[in-house]
Amino acid sequence: MTEAADTSQLNLAQTLSDQLIIYVPTKGEAVQAEELVKAADEPQAATDNQAGASPISTDAKINLNQADATQLQTLNGIGPKKAEQIIAYRDEQGQFKQIEDLQKVGGIGPKTFEQLRPQICVN
């Protein structure tokens, strides 16, 4: 990767398979998580971002109060174990009132939270 690559948007723990296309955004570029890893036969919407449009909107964000484990795992840095911890916290403590409450889940500190901030909501 080059110095311009923003690896914080990538799930570096994700299992990859043959024929996947990995899109590495540049620093400051906002890309939806679904656009970072695609099968070779899927359309490449990530290249449309070069026009400067930001694809991240409230609709594209993962709602912490409604997401299941599979949806949570689409977030950068969230694997099966952390997804289950988030759901367990939500079941025990009630809905997240603000996105910052995610930091109360074990294993999610300020650094991880800052990576997740643009991808999550609590509508």
PDB file of all heavy atoms in Angstrom, residues 25-60:
ATOM      1  N   PRO A  25      -9.169   2.735  -0.168  1.00  0.00           N
ATOM      2  CA  PRO A  25      -9.411   4.173  -0.361  1.00  0.00           C
ATOM      3  C   PRO A  25      -8.204   5.006   0.061  1.00  0.00           C
ATOM      4  O   PRO A  25      -7.346   4.542   0.810  1.00  0.00           O
ATOM      5  CB  PRO A  25     -10.604   4.446   0.549  1.00  0.00           C
ATOM      6  CG  PRO A  25     -10.538   3.385   1.585  1.00  0.00           C
ATOM      7  CD  PRO A  25      -9.917   2.184   0.946  1.00  0.00           C
ATOM      8  N   THR A  26      -8.165   6.233  -0.421  1.00  0.00           N
ATOM      9  CA  THR A  26      -7.109   7.145  -0.001  1.00  0.00           C
ATOM     10  C   THR A  26      -7.554   7.859   1.275  1.00  0.00           C
ATOM     11  O   THR A  26      -8.742   7.882   1.602  1.00  0.00           O
ATOM     12  CB  THR A  26      -6.816   8.196  -1.090  1.00  0.00           C
ATOM     13  OG1 THR A  26      -8.016   8.909  -1.373  1.00  0.00           O
ATOM     14  CG2 THR A  26      -6.279   7.556  -2.346  1.00  0.00           C
ATOM     15  N   LYS A  27      -6.619   8.443   1.979  1.00  0.00           N
ATOM     16  CA  LYS A  27      -6.935   9.154   3.217  1.00  0.00           C
ATOM     17  C   LYS A  27      -7.926  10.274   2.911  1.00  0.00           C
ATOM     18  O   LYS A  27      -7.759  11.010   1.955  1.00  0.00           O
ATOM     19  CB  LYS A  27      -5.662   9.716   3.853  1.00  0.00           C
ATOM     20  CG  LYS A  27      -4.769   8.614   4.378  1.00  0.00           C
ATOM     21  CD  LYS A  27      -3.478   9.146   4.952  1.00  0.00           C
ATOM     22  CE  LYS A  27      -2.638   7.970   5.418  1.00  0.00           C
ATOM     23  NZ  LYS A  27      -1.292   8.307   5.755  1.00  0.00           N
ATOM     24  N   GLY A  28      -8.966  10.357   3.711  1.00  0.00           N
ATOM     25  CA  GLY A  28      -9.984  11.387   3.532  1.00  0.00           C
ATOM     26  C   GLY A  28     -11.128  10.967   2.628  1.00  0.00           C
ATOM     27  O   GLY A  28     -12.141  11.642   2.557  1.00  0.00           O
ATOM     28  N   GLU A  29     -10.996   9.848   1.936  1.00  0.00           N
ATOM     29  CA  GLU A  29     -12.050   9.365   1.043  1.00  0.00           C
ATOM     30  C   GLU A  29     -13.026   8.501   1.841  1.00  0.00           C
ATOM     31  O   GLU A  29     -12.627   7.588   2.542  1.00  0.00           O
ATOM     32  CB  GLU A  29     -11.431   8.533  -0.086  1.00  0.00           C
ATOM     33  CG  GLU A  29     -12.432   7.980  -1.057  1.00  0.00           C
ATOM     34  CD  GLU A  29     -11.784   7.157  -2.164  1.00  0.00           C
ATOM     35  OE1 GLU A  29     -10.577   6.898  -2.116  1.00  0.00           O
ATOM     36  OE2 GLU A  29     -12.516   6.773  -3.083  1.00  0.00           O
ATOM     37  N   ALA A  30     -14.308   8.790   1.729  1.00  0.00           N
ATOM     38  CA  ALA A  30     -15.334   8.023   2.437  1.00  0.00           C
ATOM     39  C   ALA A  30     -15.911   6.981   1.491  1.00  0.00           C
ATOM     40  O   ALA A  30     -16.385   7.306   0.413  1.00  0.00           O
ATOM     41  CB  ALA A  30     -16.433   8.941   2.946  1.00  0.00           C
ATOM     42  N   VAL A  31     -15.852   5.723   1.905  1.00  0.00           N
ATOM     43  CA  VAL A  31     -16.337   4.619   1.083  1.00  0.00           C
ATOM     44  C   VAL A  31     -17.196   3.714   1.953  1.00  0.00           C
ATOM     45  O   VAL A  31     -16.836   3.422   3.087  1.00  0.00           O
ATOM     46  CB  VAL A  31     -15.149   3.813   0.496  1.00  0.00           C
ATOM     47  CG1 VAL A  31     -15.649   2.653  -0.337  1.00  0.00           C
ATOM     48  CG2 VAL A  31     -14.259   4.710  -0.341  1.00  0.00           C
ATOM     49  N   GLN A  32     -18.333   3.265   1.426  1.00  0.00           N
ATOM     50  CA  GLN A  32     -19.178   2.334   2.166  1.00  0.00           C
ATOM     51  C   GLN A  32     -18.453   1.007   2.317  1.00  0.00           C
ATOM     52  O   GLN A  32     -17.728   0.571   1.413  1.00  0.00           O
ATOM     53  CB  GLN A  32     -20.503   2.106   1.442  1.00  0.00           C
ATOM     54  CG  GLN A  32     -21.405   3.313   1.465  1.00  0.00           C
ATOM     55  CD  GLN A  32     -22.719   3.062   0.749  1.00  0.00           C
ATOM     56  OE1 GLN A  32     -22.919   2.030   0.138  1.00  0.00           O
ATOM     57  NE2 GLN A  32     -23.610   4.030   0.825  1.00  0.00           N
ATOM     58  N   ALA A  33     -18.647   0.343   3.440  1.00  0.00           N
ATOM     59  CA  ALA A  33     -17.964  -0.910   3.733  1.00  0.00           C
ATOM     60  C   ALA A  33     -18.205  -1.957   2.642  1.00  0.00           C
ATOM     61  O   ALA A  33     -17.296  -2.708   2.287  1.00  0.00           O
ATOM     62  CB  ALA A  33     -18.399  -1.443   5.089  1.00  0.00           C
ATOM     63  N   GLU A  34     -19.409  -1.997   2.074  1.00  0.00           N
ATOM     64  CA  GLU A  34     -19.729  -2.981   1.036  1.00  0.00           C
ATOM     65  C   GLU A  34     -18.892  -2.792  -0.223  1.00  0.00           C
ATOM     66  O   GLU A  34     -18.751  -3.704  -1.017  1.00  0.00           O
ATOM     67  CB  GLU A  34     -21.198  -2.908   0.600  1.00  0.00           C
ATOM     68  CG  GLU A  34     -22.255  -2.898   1.650  1.00  0.00           C
ATOM     69  CD  GLU A  34     -22.517  -1.529   2.246  1.00  0.00           C
ATOM     70  OE1 GLU A  34     -23.190  -0.690   1.639  1.00  0.00           O
ATOM     71  OE2 GLU A  34     -22.029  -1.316   3.358  1.00  0.00           O
ATOM     72  N   GLU A  35     -18.380  -1.597  -0.427  1.00  0.00           N
ATOM     73  CA  GLU A  35     -17.631  -1.304  -1.635  1.00  0.00           C
ATOM     74  C   GLU A  35     -16.153  -1.644  -1.521  1.00  0.00           C
ATOM     75  O   GLU A  35     -15.437  -1.619  -2.502  1.00  0.00           O
ATOM     76  CB  GLU A  35     -17.793   0.176  -2.001  1.00  0.00           C
ATOM     77  CG  GLU A  35     -19.227   0.541  -2.335  1.00  0.00           C
ATOM     78  CD  GLU A  35     -19.404   2.009  -2.614  1.00  0.00           C
ATOM     79  OE1 GLU A  35     -18.492   2.801  -2.336  1.00  0.00           O
ATOM     80  OE2 GLU A  35     -20.473   2.383  -3.110  1.00  0.00           O
ATOM     81  N   LEU A  36     -15.692  -1.975  -0.338  1.00  0.00           N
ATOM     82  CA  LEU A  36     -14.268  -2.238  -0.144  1.00  0.00           C
ATOM     83  C   LEU A  36     -13.856  -3.613  -0.641  1.00  0.00           C
ATOM     84  O   LEU A  36     -12.744  -3.782  -1.136  1.00  0.00           O
ATOM     85  CB  LEU A  36     -13.900  -2.073   1.333  1.00  0.00           C
ATOM     86  CG  LEU A  36     -14.074  -0.656   1.875  1.00  0.00           C
ATOM     87  CD1 LEU A  36     -13.857  -0.636   3.373  1.00  0.00           C
ATOM     88  CD2 LEU A  36     -13.134   0.307   1.187  1.00  0.00           C
ATOM     89  N   VAL A  37     -14.717  -4.604  -0.505  1.00  0.00           N
ATOM     90  CA  VAL A  37     -14.416  -5.960  -0.955  1.00  0.00           C
ATOM     91  C   VAL A  37     -15.570  -6.434  -1.818  1.00  0.00           C
ATOM     92  O   VAL A  37     -16.706  -6.467  -1.385  1.00  0.00           O
ATOM     93  CB  VAL A  37     -14.228  -6.922   0.248  1.00  0.00           C
ATOM     94  CG1 VAL A  37     -13.947  -8.337  -0.237  1.00  0.00           C
ATOM     95  CG2 VAL A  37     -13.122  -6.431   1.149  1.00  0.00           C
ATOM     96  N   LYS A  38     -15.258  -6.795  -3.057  1.00  0.00           N
ATOM     97  CA  LYS A  38     -16.286  -7.254  -3.994  1.00  0.00           C
ATOM     98  C   LYS A  38     -15.801  -8.488  -4.716  1.00  0.00           C
ATOM     99  O   LYS A  38     -14.614  -8.671  -4.922  1.00  0.00           O
ATOM    100  CB  LYS A  38     -16.581  -6.174  -5.034  1.00  0.00           C
ATOM    101  CG  LYS A  38     -17.278  -4.964  -4.491  1.00  0.00           C
ATOM    102  CD  LYS A  38     -17.835  -4.151  -5.634  1.00  0.00           C
ATOM    103  CE  LYS A  38     -18.646  -3.004  -5.126  1.00  0.00           C
ATOM    104  NZ  LYS A  38     -19.990  -3.368  -4.750  1.00  0.00           N
ATOM    105  N   ALA A  39     -16.757  -9.317  -5.129  1.00  0.00           N
ATOM    106  CA  ALA A  39     -16.430 -10.444  -5.990  1.00  0.00           C
ATOM    107  C   ALA A  39     -16.075  -9.878  -7.367  1.00  0.00           C
ATOM    108  O   ALA A  39     -16.562  -8.813  -7.759  1.00  0.00           O
ATOM    109  CB  ALA A  39     -17.606 -11.395  -6.079  1.00  0.00           C
ATOM    110  N   ALA A  40     -15.270 -10.589  -8.107  1.00  0.00           N
ATOM    111  CA  ALA A  40     -14.803 -10.097  -9.407  1.00  0.00           C
ATOM    112  C   ALA A  40     -15.945  -9.827 -10.376  1.00  0.00           C
ATOM    113  O   ALA A  40     -15.830  -8.965 -11.234  1.00  0.00           O
ATOM    114  CB  ALA A  40     -13.826 -11.092 -10.017  1.00  0.00           C
ATOM    115  N   ASP A  41     -17.074 -10.521 -10.223  1.00  0.00           N
ATOM    116  CA  ASP A  41     -18.175 -10.323 -11.164  1.00  0.00           C
ATOM    117  C   ASP A  41     -19.176  -9.258 -10.730  1.00  0.00           C
ATOM    118  O   ASP A  41     -20.139  -8.986 -11.420  1.00  0.00           O
ATOM    119  CB  ASP A  41     -18.913 -11.644 -11.414  1.00  0.00           C
ATOM    120  CG  ASP A  41     -19.455 -12.279 -10.140  1.00  0.00           C
ATOM    121  OD1 ASP A  41     -19.167 -11.763  -9.042  1.00  0.00           O
ATOM    122  OD2 ASP A  41     -20.152 -13.298 -10.256  1.00  0.00           O
ATOM    123  N   GLU A  42     -18.958  -8.589  -9.562  1.00  0.00           N
ATOM    124  CA  GLU A  42     -19.844  -7.514  -9.111  1.00  0.00           C
ATOM    125  C   GLU A  42     -19.410  -6.194  -9.734  1.00  0.00           C
ATOM    126  O   GLU A  42     -18.238  -5.981  -9.994  1.00  0.00           O
ATOM    127  CB  GLU A  42     -19.790  -7.367  -7.591  1.00  0.00           C
ATOM    128  CG  GLU A  42     -20.423  -8.521  -6.849  1.00  0.00           C
ATOM    129  CD  GLU A  42     -20.411  -8.303  -5.355  1.00  0.00           C
ATOM    130  OE1 GLU A  42     -20.713  -7.171  -4.922  1.00  0.00           O
ATOM    131  OE2 GLU A  42     -20.093  -9.253  -4.640  1.00  0.00           O
ATOM    132  N   PRO A  43     -20.353  -5.260  -9.946  1.00  0.00           N
ATOM    133  CA  PRO A  43     -19.976  -3.953 -10.491  1.00  0.00           C
ATOM    134  C   PRO A  43     -19.089  -3.188  -9.508  1.00  0.00           C
ATOM    135  O   PRO A  43     -19.239  -3.318  -8.305  1.00  0.00           O
ATOM    136  CB  PRO A  43     -21.309  -3.226 -10.698  1.00  0.00           C
ATOM    137  CG  PRO A  43     -22.313  -3.991  -9.918  1.00  0.00           C
ATOM    138  CD  PRO A  43     -21.778  -5.391  -9.730  1.00  0.00           C
ATOM    139  N   GLN A  44     -18.191  -2.382 -10.024  1.00  0.00           N
ATOM    140  CA  GLN A  44     -17.243  -1.631  -9.206  1.00  0.00           C
ATOM    141  C   GLN A  44     -17.755  -0.232  -8.925  1.00  0.00           C
ATOM    142  O   GLN A  44     -17.348   0.736  -9.545  1.00  0.00           O
ATOM    143  CB  GLN A  44     -15.875  -1.552  -9.901  1.00  0.00           C
ATOM    144  CG  GLN A  44     -15.104  -2.839  -9.795  1.00  0.00           C
ATOM    145  CD  GLN A  44     -14.642  -3.063  -8.372  1.00  0.00           C
ATOM    146  OE1 GLN A  44     -14.150  -2.176  -7.752  1.00  0.00           O
ATOM    147  NE2 GLN A  44     -14.791  -4.229  -7.832  1.00  0.00           N
ATOM    148  N   ALA A  45     -18.654  -0.075  -7.977  1.00  0.00           N
ATOM    149  CA  ALA A  45     -19.204   1.233  -7.631  1.00  0.00           C
ATOM    150  C   ALA A  45     -18.173   2.101  -6.938  1.00  0.00           C
ATOM    151  O   ALA A  45     -18.250   3.317  -6.971  1.00  0.00           O
ATOM    152  CB  ALA A  45     -20.435   1.070  -6.745  1.00  0.00           C
ATOM    153  N   ALA A  46     -17.171   1.496  -6.305  1.00  0.00           N
ATOM    154  CA  ALA A  46     -16.178   2.265  -5.551  1.00  0.00           C
ATOM    155  C   ALA A  46     -15.407   3.224  -6.448  1.00  0.00           C
ATOM    156  O   ALA A  46     -14.989   4.284  -6.010  1.00  0.00           O
ATOM    157  CB  ALA A  46     -15.209   1.329  -4.841  1.00  0.00           C
ATOM    158  N   THR A  47     -15.248   2.888  -7.712  1.00  0.00           N
ATOM    159  CA  THR A  47     -14.501   3.772  -8.603  1.00  0.00           C
ATOM    160  C   THR A  47     -15.274   5.049  -8.892  1.00  0.00           C
ATOM    161  O   THR A  47     -14.698   6.041  -9.289  1.00  0.00           O
ATOM    162  CB  THR A  47     -14.147   3.059  -9.927  1.00  0.00           C
ATOM    163  OG1 THR A  47     -15.357   2.588 -10.518  1.00  0.00           O
ATOM    164  CG2 THR A  47     -13.199   1.898  -9.677  1.00  0.00           C
ATOM    165  N   ASP A  48     -16.591   5.032  -8.665  1.00  0.00           N
ATOM    166  CA  ASP A  48     -17.393   6.238  -8.869  1.00  0.00           C
ATOM    167  C   ASP A  48     -17.041   7.312  -7.854  1.00  0.00           C
ATOM    168  O   ASP A  48     -17.304   8.483  -8.068  1.00  0.00           O
ATOM    169  CB  ASP A  48     -18.883   5.925  -8.751  1.00  0.00           C
ATOM    170  CG  ASP A  48     -19.361   4.986  -9.844  1.00  0.00           C
ATOM    171  OD1 ASP A  48     -18.666   4.893 -10.878  1.00  0.00           O
ATOM    172  OD2 ASP A  48     -20.415   4.349  -9.650  1.00  0.00           O
ATOM    173  N   ASN A  49     -16.445   6.950  -6.740  1.00  0.00           N
ATOM    174  CA  ASN A  49     -16.119   7.902  -5.682  1.00  0.00           C
ATOM    175  C   ASN A  49     -15.052   8.899  -6.103  1.00  0.00           C
ATOM    176  O   ASN A  49     -14.875   9.916  -5.469  1.00  0.00           O
ATOM    177  CB  ASN A  49     -15.632   7.166  -4.431  1.00  0.00           C
ATOM    178  CG  ASN A  49     -16.738   6.345  -3.829  1.00  0.00           C
ATOM    179  OD1 ASN A  49     -17.905   6.614  -4.061  1.00  0.00           O
ATOM    180  ND2 ASN A  49     -16.371   5.345  -3.069  1.00  0.00           N
ATOM    181  N   GLN A  50     -14.338   8.610  -7.164  1.00  0.00           N
ATOM    182  CA  GLN A  50     -13.264   9.501  -7.578  1.00  0.00           C
ATOM    183  C   GLN A  50     -13.803  10.855  -8.028  1.00  0.00           C
ATOM    184  O   GLN A  50     -13.072  11.813  -8.125  1.00  0.00           O
ATOM    185  CB  GLN A  50     -12.439   8.833  -8.674  1.00  0.00           C
ATOM    186  CG  GLN A  50     -11.701   7.625  -8.118  1.00  0.00           C
ATOM    187  CD  GLN A  50     -11.020   6.817  -9.197  1.00  0.00           C
ATOM    188  OE1 GLN A  50     -11.128   7.119 -10.380  1.00  0.00           O
ATOM    189  NE2 GLN A  50     -10.307   5.793  -8.797  1.00  0.00           N
ATOM    190  N   ALA A  51     -15.096  10.938  -8.281  1.00  0.00           N
ATOM    191  CA  ALA A  51     -15.695  12.214  -8.665  1.00  0.00           C
ATOM    192  C   ALA A  51     -15.828  13.146  -7.468  1.00  0.00           C
ATOM    193  O   ALA A  51     -16.167  14.299  -7.610  1.00  0.00           O
ATOM    194  CB  ALA A  51     -17.065  11.984  -9.297  1.00  0.00           C
ATOM    195  N   GLY A  52     -15.583  12.612  -6.267  1.00  0.00           N
ATOM    196  CA  GLY A  52     -15.613  13.448  -5.082  1.00  0.00           C
ATOM    197  C   GLY A  52     -16.890  13.339  -4.276  1.00  0.00           C
ATOM    198  O   GLY A  52     -17.015  13.943  -3.235  1.00  0.00           O
ATOM    199  N   ALA A  53     -17.847  12.551  -4.741  1.00  0.00           N
ATOM    200  CA  ALA A  53     -19.091  12.387  -3.995  1.00  0.00           C
ATOM    201  C   ALA A  53     -18.862  11.454  -2.819  1.00  0.00           C
ATOM    202  O   ALA A  53     -18.188  10.458  -2.945  1.00  0.00           O
ATOM    203  CB  ALA A  53     -20.175  11.815  -4.917  1.00  0.00           C
ATOM    204  N   SER A  54     -19.410  11.798  -1.691  1.00  0.00           N
ATOM    205  CA  SER A  54     -19.283  10.951  -0.511  1.00  0.00           C
ATOM    206  C   SER A  54     -20.484  10.026  -0.430  1.00  0.00           C
ATOM    207  O   SER A  54     -21.611  10.489  -0.295  1.00  0.00           O
ATOM    208  CB  SER A  54     -19.204  11.817   0.750  1.00  0.00           C
ATOM    209  OG  SER A  54     -19.204  11.006   1.885  1.00  0.00           O
ATOM    210  N   PRO A  55     -20.272   8.706  -0.504  1.00  0.00           N
ATOM    211  CA  PRO A  55     -21.396   7.782  -0.516  1.00  0.00           C
ATOM    212  C   PRO A  55     -21.979   7.525   0.866  1.00  0.00           C
ATOM    213  O   PRO A  55     -23.011   6.918   0.989  1.00  0.00           O
ATOM    214  CB  PRO A  55     -20.777   6.500  -1.064  1.00  0.00           C
ATOM    215  CG  PRO A  55     -19.365   6.557  -0.601  1.00  0.00           C
ATOM    216  CD  PRO A  55     -19.007   8.031  -0.650  1.00  0.00           C
ATOM    217  N   ILE A  56     -21.317   7.960   1.928  1.00  0.00           N
ATOM    218  CA  ILE A  56     -21.802   7.672   3.272  1.00  0.00           C
ATOM    219  C   ILE A  56     -22.907   8.652   3.625  1.00  0.00           C
ATOM    220  O   ILE A  56     -22.724   9.849   3.585  1.00  0.00           O
ATOM    221  CB  ILE A  56     -20.658   7.744   4.294  1.00  0.00           C
ATOM    222  CG1 ILE A  56     -19.609   6.742   3.915  1.00  0.00           C
ATOM    223  CG2 ILE A  56     -21.170   7.608   5.706  1.00  0.00           C
ATOM    224  CD1 ILE A  56     -19.154   5.801   4.946  1.00  0.00           C
ATOM    225  N   SER A  57     -24.057   8.107   3.934  1.00  0.00           N
ATOM    226  CA  SER A  57     -25.186   8.914   4.363  1.00  0.00           C
ATOM    227  C   SER A  57     -25.799   8.218   5.565  1.00  0.00           C
ATOM    228  O   SER A  57     -25.409   7.118   5.916  1.00  0.00           O
ATOM    229  CB  SER A  57     -26.209   9.036   3.234  1.00  0.00           C
ATOM    230  OG  SER A  57     -26.784   7.772   2.978  1.00  0.00           O
ATOM    231  N   THR A  58     -26.783   8.831   6.185  1.00  0.00           N
ATOM    232  CA  THR A  58     -27.426   8.220   7.343  1.00  0.00           C
ATOM    233  C   THR A  58     -28.001   6.864   6.971  1.00  0.00           C
ATOM    234  O   THR A  58     -27.975   5.932   7.753  1.00  0.00           O
ATOM    235  CB  THR A  58     -28.542   9.148   7.869  1.00  0.00           C
ATOM    236  OG1 THR A  58     -27.962  10.429   8.111  1.00  0.00           O
ATOM    237  CG2 THR A  58     -29.130   8.617   9.155  1.00  0.00           C
ATOM    238  N   ASP A  59     -28.526   6.717   5.755  1.00  0.00           N
ATOM    239  CA  ASP A  59     -29.109   5.448   5.333  1.00  0.00           C
ATOM    240  C   ASP A  59     -28.066   4.351   5.243  1.00  0.00           C
ATOM    241  O   ASP A  59     -28.382   3.184   5.427  1.00  0.00           O
ATOM    242  CB  ASP A  59     -29.800   5.603   3.974  1.00  0.00           C
ATOM    243  CG  ASP A  59     -30.964   6.572   4.041  1.00  0.00           C
ATOM    244  OD1 ASP A  59     -31.525   6.755   5.138  1.00  0.00           O
ATOM    245  OD2 ASP A  59     -31.304   7.158   2.999  1.00  0.00           O
ATOM    246  N   ALA A  60     -26.824   4.674   4.945  1.00  0.00           N
ATOM    247  CA  ALA A  60     -25.779   3.682   4.767  1.00  0.00           C
ATOM    248  C   ALA A  60     -25.165   3.255   6.095  1.00  0.00           C
ATOM    249  O   ALA A  60     -24.421   2.302   6.140  1.00  0.00           O
ATOM    250  CB  ALA A  60     -24.694   4.244   3.854  1.00  0.00           C
TER     251      ALA A  60
END
